[in-house]
Amino acid sequence: MIITDNLITSFLRTRSDTEEICAPLQIEDYVIQPIVDVSPPKWHLGHTTWFFEEFILSKYVPGFERFHPEYAYVFNSYYESVGKRVIRTDRGNLSRPTVSEVYEYRDYITSHLQTFLEENDDPKIRELVEIGIHHEKQHQELLITDIKFILGNNPLFPKYNDTFSENPGFDDDQISGYSTVEEGVYEIGYEGNKFCYDNELGRHKVFLREYTIANALVTNKEYLEFIEDKGYENSLLWHAEAWDWIHTDNIKAPLYWHKIDEQYHQYTLQGLKTIDYTAPVTHISFYEAFAFAQWKGERLPTEFEWETAQSLFKWGIRWEWTESAYSPYPNYKKAPGALGEYNGKFMVNQKVLRGGSVATPRDHTRPTYRNFFHPHLRWQFTGLRLVKDK
Amino acid sequence: MIITDNLITSFLRTRSDTEEICAPLQIEDYVIQPIVDVSPPKWHLGHTTWFFEEFILSKYVPGFERFHPEYAYVFNSYYESVGKRVIRTDRGNLSRPTVSEVYEYRDYITSHLQTFLEENDDPKIRELVEIGIHHEKQHQELLITDIKFILGNNPLFPKYNDTFSENPGFDDDQISGYSTVEEGVYEIGYEGNKFCYDNELGRHKVFLREYTIANALVTNKEYLEFIEDKGYENSLLWHAEAWDWIHTDNIKAPLYWHKIDEQYHQYTLQGLKTIDYTAPVTHISFYEAFAFAQWKGERLPTEFEWETAQSLFKWGIRWEWTESAYSPYPNYKKAPGALGEYNGKFMVNQKVLRGGSVATPRDHTRPTYRNFFHPHLRWQFTGLRLVKDK
Amino acid sequence: MIITDNLITSFLRTRSDTEEICAPLQIEDYVIQPIVDVSPPKWHLGHTTWFFEEFILSKYVPGFERFHPEYAYVFNSYYESVGKRVIRTDRGNLSRPTVSEVYEYRDYITSHLQTFLEENDDPKIRELVEIGIHHEKQHQELLITDIKFILGNNPLFPKYNDTFSENPGFDDDQISGYSTVEEGVYEIGYEGNKFCYDNELGRHKVFLREYTIANALVTNKEYLEFIEDKGYENSLLWHAEAWDWIHTDNIKAPLYWHKIDEQYHQYTLQGLKTIDYTAPVTHISFYEAFAFAQWKGERLPTEFEWETAQSLFKWGIRWEWTESAYSPYPNYKKAPGALGEYNGKFMVNQKVLRGGSVATPRDHTRPTYRNFFHPHLRWQFTGLRLVKDK
Amino acid sequence: MIITDNLITSFLRTRSDTEEICAPLQIEDYVIQPIVDVSPPKWHLGHTTWFFEEFILSKYVPGFERFHPEYAYVFNSYYESVGKRVIRTDRGNLSRPTVSEVYEYRDYITSHLQTFLEENDDPKIRELVEIGIHHEKQHQELLITDIKFILGNNPLFPKYNDTFSENPGFDDDQISGYSTVEEGVYEIGYEGNKFCYDNELGRHKVFLREYTIANALVTNKEYLEFIEDKGYENSLLWHAEAWDWIHTDNIKAPLYWHKIDEQYHQYTLQGLKTIDYTAPVTHISFYEAFAFAQWKGERLPTEFEWETAQSLFKWGIRWEWTESAYSPYPNYKKAPGALGEYNGKFMVNQKVLRGGSVATPRDHTRPTYRNFFHPHLRWQFTGLRLVKDK
């Protein structure tokens, strides 16, 4: 159990980190929602704040006064109760509260929670705060990917800043070749006494065959070979639903790739650039990762293979698609009440990603961390690592 | 023909009036597009500016330098040429250019056009400027109705300001009873030497039967009787497409009406208020206007009946739905080129509205002015006036 | 007023004519509904029968026993009352009742109505029978166009029969040149004591300018010139909604045209054939008719111009699109009750067509007959005639 | 390897069994496609025939003449090559070929294949025939479920026949209580030398914790308790996508349940009947199976748990939803070419079902058989069996 001072420090740092991420934005950038998967930055700022207000302050602080009676309605992502008004609250349709009001809301809640924590060391509260911190760190990553989508789909291609590197240190980290894991029964899932999500439990045994796994992620150069070999035109490489998707959405390359004057460019958080072919490919869907592996004659790892092998390679700059569907572990127990919706209710029609990305907050991920998205989504910093069978 | 000074004055006043309308807005309000019919205020500001840049400055000022090479792409409402990028430019998905940049764009174009006009009195240029002024006045009205939609569909119901009256002077203007127009051949369409739109020409004769037309607009009180008599549940009052519409969109009252604690309220530009039952009903579709008239056993006027009778009653606070479909007048001539798209390309599937509204700029409308919208739309300040046959 | 024997004869002939139209069909052809505008032939057979059962036999024959308690539900095109079951009854999803059962239903109703009429000469009944006869004749035309759509959208291109001519006698009927109608006040609408629809009344005066109208319909040859001049690619010729439509639906030629080995073919009721370029173009939408006229620098007639000029040219093999929107005539009175829905509820968003087509039953149309369809529809035998202003 | 005579016998029996299933149908029933998941019986008859023509006769019989040049186009379910015509071939829009022509096609191919097999004992051919037989058996099951959907969604509720029992012998087979499987490493996947699908290979080890599994399937009575306890209204029991689904599609009970006069009825192949509460529940989606298990505080088995435990209980009258997503087994190898599309291309977004149903052809299923459907689908004879953890 971490001690109080550290919890408060951690809470305050998380709160300021979130705001730091938004510092380069113009007010206009906070407001829009270009696709349903991308939320307005303003909403992320409010929603992470509402979490502390709803699950801690309003429940445990006697006489606590909410900042605004309607904000629970505006910033709640959970199952809506029956609405009292004839109003659609699509996140991208709300110009109010203003950005400035949302920051006031943040300050109000941050300050009240700090005060409350200074006077209270109930372990149950501390656990809820810790969940809230991790919840906010998840939204820090989404803020970065959502901001990239908002700016990167603007015809003016504005940059986010001049310093965010999408490929930090990959030259050193990426080692060629494959590593082998022997057949056997392995333990999967979180073990330890730090924070983990419910979906990383219960820890359990799996039987794995021998396999070899690539030390390096697939690069832009390799992916370009797939494109130039007409990988997007060969139906035998694709799932049936993927084939429909690439035709309906006219998919011919990773997200953010633009062929300009016969040269591929890529929108990055530093603006539009020619593609760095030695960097690991990113912004691909599970469908594309799978088709690429089929084309290579190899395959994606399962999440169990990935977790078992992860100490053999460097990871953390791309979320790595796995073949595994997102399902509960044996003896998985949902938390009771609304917090129980946190992970369990998404355990269908999604694929597990492992690792972490350049957008993941430092120390937020771990070897047992299970990220998950629908197989067609590409706005996260996704990538892939290949596996071969004996 | 107006003289130069007046044209420049008129141009500058129109430009500043537009900005005045936006003065009460927060930056966030400029950006969003809650439904396809409502454009972000930022877009209106840019689009009306682009009109002067595209059709005058870039064509007639030698060596004119556009403010930004991409703005024509961002602010053009006309038929898109084939796009050069893989980017969707839905107006509500664009956080950039910022509001501040759009105002710089306005200043740049306003100032260049002013200079150009001071040195140039070519009648062709002056005619284009005049079209641009009227074009911008049309967008002034849309700015008001779009701002109302943006704020009025926000669960916080923010007010626009404390002074905008949606029912100015209606107590004095609305006189009960009906006026009669005798059978005969009447002249329709604009006659005079001031500005009018191409759709008001050519002036032509129509034959009208005798009819009587209400001196006053239908009020909220009368409309409430229709609701309480279950008008929305009686299929015989509605067009087939209207019946589908009220069921698909769950329509049970005019737009902006909210039944709160058994009392009808109405969002206005001054905020949410209980309904003023003596005010003329507004924010109804053609379908609702028609169904109301059916229920009354009366009917809507044709646009020709309205134009012929208009001197007999006060009008100008509600756009009045007519039975007439929007079609070209006899001998209608489209302007050549892109400006020819201005009106003619919309002459199908729309209904004509006559009069003007509280959102119409002073002096912008006239007895022959033909406004037009699809029959299901309600976000304009629409209303209705009844007609009886002998 | 027609006398009883003629009414019964007319009724019986109409019933057998309907069945004659279906004689060439396979049972499978009776069942499907490829698009929402096209009904299964089985449904037409049942619906026209239900009309007599619902509005006459069940109301006026004491103790009349319906053929089947559910058929009113299955064959009703009118506003559905609240369904008692969780069943969607899309017309094309119903394999039962079988074709054979529908013919039994027809025989049952035909025979009961014949008996009833032999014993009854109440003018009200006779008027209802007459409406039912005309209603069934309208469905005879729809049967032909719907059968053409069902067969003509099958990759095997089965023919309907070897004798149905889509261009009967047009060589003799089509005379080149234009006829002129002088300016004046003309009478519009049905006058006489035979049957007409409510939408042809009340008869009223209109003022028309002088115009000249083509003696002949536009031919396939002329239409091909429009295609080859890239008419489908010139946005200035099209309404805004039409431009969207041709791009969404990938429209590049009239319906049923297939370019096979660089040669245009056309599916006809006699099967797939190379195009007869001297025949009048058909299966075009209002949007295409309008764009063609724009391209020619001419225009479509209004329905009043058409009606006033119709004695000057031969017509009846193509429904001729007019510029007129479908609206009520002055003093139009809807029939009370469900029959009142017959025409009035469609008077929005549709364009009037005048004349008649090769699929129209003999003697069903007349100079004042007003047909109407949405502007994008093409499965009727539509065509166009041009008008020039002085 | 089976011997030739048996293969021919098996082939001929399969062909006649398929036709036997269709014997009670009216011609009209063969043609329609009420939802995209349900194919017209006519299509099943043709598609299973095309399989033998395409993959065997046209490839291996020198000079083989196809029955009709367009049938490959009409009856192919595989990735469409670029179409040569402007025709949509939705299966439910095709009245031709007629049912009679499809039976002629069947006879032609059956007869040619029989002759070919009598003269040929190439093992490769024999293997393809065997795949074709199993392929046709799969379609036999789909024929039954599709026919049930076609008839069961007709407001006349026609019965299929008087003899098809949906609950054969369940009274004897269903034993109460649970059986326990001990922790350990188990072998999964097909082992043997008879036919199996590629998706049942490669055989591999899995580690399972101890679990107890119900001997009996959940009954209608138990499911009714879930409904009456407002299970469909408790969001905490449902996946997020399931919650959307039940609201969008207004789901309140299993498919084919109708509450008539406060009494639940169920459409069966013998017609509409009151519900037999002792029978196992059927026609539920994975979502409903999962929500029911949540409500019970138990869970669904994984497909590995099911396969390991299957000898402990009776199964085969309901396809049993498992928690497992449909994924390739370790060392899974797709067959090359078009046959390789058979299973692999569906391995995403689907859930595995195990067992078999009353509609499954005798001897078609086996303990390692993996059926799969999207989690919202209900028109198969699906059911569920509960699992408890220690």
Side-chain angles (χ1 to χ4, degrees), chain B residues 79 203 205 207 209 235-236 238-241 287 294 323 325 328 331 334 341 345 347 349 374 389, chain C residues 79 203 205 207 209 235-236 238-241 287 294 323 325 331 334 341 345 347 349 374 389:
Chain B
Y79 290 144
R203 186 158 164 93
K205 295 196 180 79
F207 182 91
R209 288 188 173 199
S235 68
L236 294 175
W238 298 83
H239 290 102
E241 294 184 24
Y287 293 139
Q294 290 283 110
E323 178 57 53
N331 266 359
K334 274 205 317 192
E341 300 182 13
K345 74 174 177 180
M347 289 183 174
N349 290 339
H374 285 103
D389 289 305
Chain C
Y79 289 145
R203 186 159 163 94
K205 296 195 180 78
F207 182 92
R209 288 189 174 200
S235 68
L236 294 175
W238 298 82
H239 290 100
E241 295 184 23
Y287 293 138
Q294 289 284 108
E323 178 57 52
N331 266 0
K334 273 205 317 191
E341 300 183 14
K345 74 174 177 180
M347 288 182 174
N349 290 340
H374 285 103
D389 290 305

Side-chain angles (χ1 to χ4, degrees), chain A residues 374-390:
Chain A
H374 284 104
H376 68 288
L377 292 175
R378 317 200 292 173
W379 95 110
Q380 296 299 300
F381 286 93
T382 49
L384 82 153
R385 183 183 304 276
L386 294 169
V387 160
K388 289 193 289 198
D389 291 304
K390 197 167 49 170

Side-chain angles (χ1 to χ4, degrees), chain D residues 356-367:
Chain D
S357 86
V358 291
T360 313
R362 181 190 306 266
D363 298 332
H364 181 62
T365 189
R366 56 197 156 263

Side-chain angles (χ1 to χ4, degrees), chain A residues 276-330:
Chain A
D276 179 350
Y277 286 109
T278 61
V281 68
T282 190
H283 297 300
I284 56 170
S285 64
F286 167 79
Y287 293 137
E288 290 163 297
F290 178 88
F292 179 89
Q294 290 283 108
W295 173 76
K296 268 294 203 199
E298 306 190 6
R299 64 174 175 85
L300 304 181
T302 65
E303 64 169 320
F304 309 121
E305 289 171 337
W306 190 94
E307 183 171 326
T308 303
Q310 56 80 27
S311 65
L312 303 174
F313 46 79
K314 293 282 179 75
W315 51 269
I317 62 168
R318 297 288 180 266
W319 283 107
E320 305 182 21
W321 285 109
T322 74
E323 178 56 52
S324 299
Y326 184 41
S327 287
Y329 281 176

Side-chain angles (χ1 to χ4, degrees), chain D residues 144-164:
Chain D
I144 292 170
T145 54
D146 292 4
I147 289 167
K148 182 169 180 180
F149 195 92
I150 287 166
L151 300 179
N153 283 279
N154 188 299
L156 307 180
F157 291 127
K159 65 173 69 163
Y160 169 64
N161 67 18
D162 290 318
T163 56
F164 192 102

Side-chain angles (χ1 to χ4, degrees), chain B residues 29 52 138 146 150 159 177 190 216 294 338 348 377:
Chain B
D29 302 326
F52 291 110
Q138 287 184 305
D146 292 4
I150 287 167
K159 64 174 68 166
Y190 186 74
Q294 290 283 110
V348 71
L377 292 175

Side-chain angles (χ1 to χ4, degrees), chain A residues 79 203 205 207 209 235-236 238-241 287 294 323 325 331 334 341 345 347 349 374 389, chain D residues 79 203 205 207 209 235-236 238-241 287 294 323 325 328 331 334 341 345 347 349 374 389:
Chain A
Y79 290 145
R203 186 159 163 93
K205 295 197 180 76
F207 183 92
R209 290 188 172 199
S235 69
L236 294 175
W238 298 82
H239 290 101
E241 295 184 23
Y287 293 137
Q294 290 283 108
E323 178 56 52
N331 267 359
K334 274 207 314 192
E341 299 182 14
K345 74 173 176 180
M347 289 182 173
N349 290 339
H374 284 104
D389 291 304
Chain D
Y79 290 144
R203 186 160 164 93
K205 295 197 181 77
F207 182 91
R209 289 188 172 200
S235 69
L236 295 175
W238 298 83
H239 289 101
E241 295 185 21
Y287 293 138
Q294 290 282 110
E323 179 56 54
N331 267 359
K334 274 206 316 193
E341 299 182 14
K345 74 174 175 179
M347 288 181 173
N349 289 340
H374 285 102
D389 290 305

